Amino acid sequence: SVMKLEGANPDIVLSDGYRNRSSAVQNRLSSPRFMQKKVATVSQAATATEAIQDKLKARRKSLQDKEKTVQSAFSEDELEPIKASAQAILKRQATVAEAELTLDVYKKKGLAQKIVRSQAFENASLAVVLLNCLWTWIDTDYNPAPVLPEAHWVFQVVENMFVVYFMFEVAVPWLAFERKVYGLRDPWFIF
């Protein structure tokens, strides 16, 4: 038999065969055999997870045994300088690697990359930031104007000098990047 859908195109019909197939799929999904397969799959996953956890435990135990062997070979007094030395080396290597990562993103030629790579640029930027902090204190205490255009000309000139320098500080690294997208990965540039 054929059933017509209400409010639908009269050419679209829903047959009993379709309803029977739909109920057959639902019956299969709720059948005990299907559920057994599902349970079997879940238990296999659990077994695999337990095996991985056992391997991790064995690896941890092996590492702990090796650490005990090393500790037993040296006294505690001998281990402390070795640990401190190793930590200092790792810290130094991390700092050097970080510096190299930052410097490798710049072009190899050009004035902008020379400026950005120079220590003088870093020192000048730090000095300007410190001066800006001092100027903010002076501006807050001695500038009664609510907005910059109404302030005394000295305040306007100094504020604009800071803006020009900070624009320079952003533009030069941007010009020095070999690929401009590197600027989006450099934390100091984003800051």
Side-chain angles (χ1 to χ4, degrees), residues 56-68:
L56 285 173
K57 285 178 186 175
R59 180 71 178 143
R60 281 190 199 116
K61 182 159 178 25
S62 170
L63 290 173
Q64 288 171 349
D65 291 344
K66 287 179 183 177
E67 185 177 346
K68 286 178 185 176

Side-chain angles (χ1 to χ4, degrees), residues 5 43 76 78 104 125 150 170 179 183-184:
L5 296 174
S43 66
E76 190 63 36
E78 292 173 327
D104 282 347
S125 295
E150 295 176 8
V170 169
R179 294 184 58 211
L184 301 175

Side-chain angles (χ1 to χ4, degrees), residues 87-154:
Q87 288 174 345
I89 290 169
L90 290 174
K91 189 175 181 180
R92 224 175 304 126
Q93 287 175 345
T95 305
V96 168
E98 184 180 318
E100 287 174 354
L101 279 175
T102 304
L103 296 177
D104 282 347
V105 298
Y106 296 124
K107 295 176 182 174
K108 306 297 182 243
K109 297 179 182 178
L111 180 62
Q113 65 86 24
K114 274 187 181 178
I115 293 172
V116 171
R117 291 176 195 263
S118 71
Q119 188 65 40
F121 179 70
E122 286 185 39
N123 293 341
S125 295
L126 182 61
V128 171
V129 167
L130 293 174
L131 285 173
N132 189 271
C133 290
L134 289 172
W135 181 253
T136 302
W137 163 62
I138 293 168
D139 187 40
T140 304
D141 284 352
Y142 298 105
N143 183 6
V147 291
L148 188 60
E150 295 176 8
H152 188 268
W153 68 270
V154 173

Side-chain angles (χ1 to χ4, degrees), residues 170-185:
V170 169
V172 171
W174 183 256
L175 292 171
F177 284 122
E178 195 166 16
R179 294 184 58 211
K180 303 308 180 209
V181 73
Y182 292 153
L184 301 175
R185 297 182 197 156

Side-chain angles (χ1 to χ4, degrees), residues 1 9 14 19 24 28 31 41 48 50 68 112 122 135 145 162 173:
S1 78
N9 186 337
L14 185 61
R19 272 188 266 149
R28 272 192 219 127
S31 73
T41 305
E50 288 174 11
K68 286 178 185 176
E122 286 185 39
W135 181 253
F162 283 120

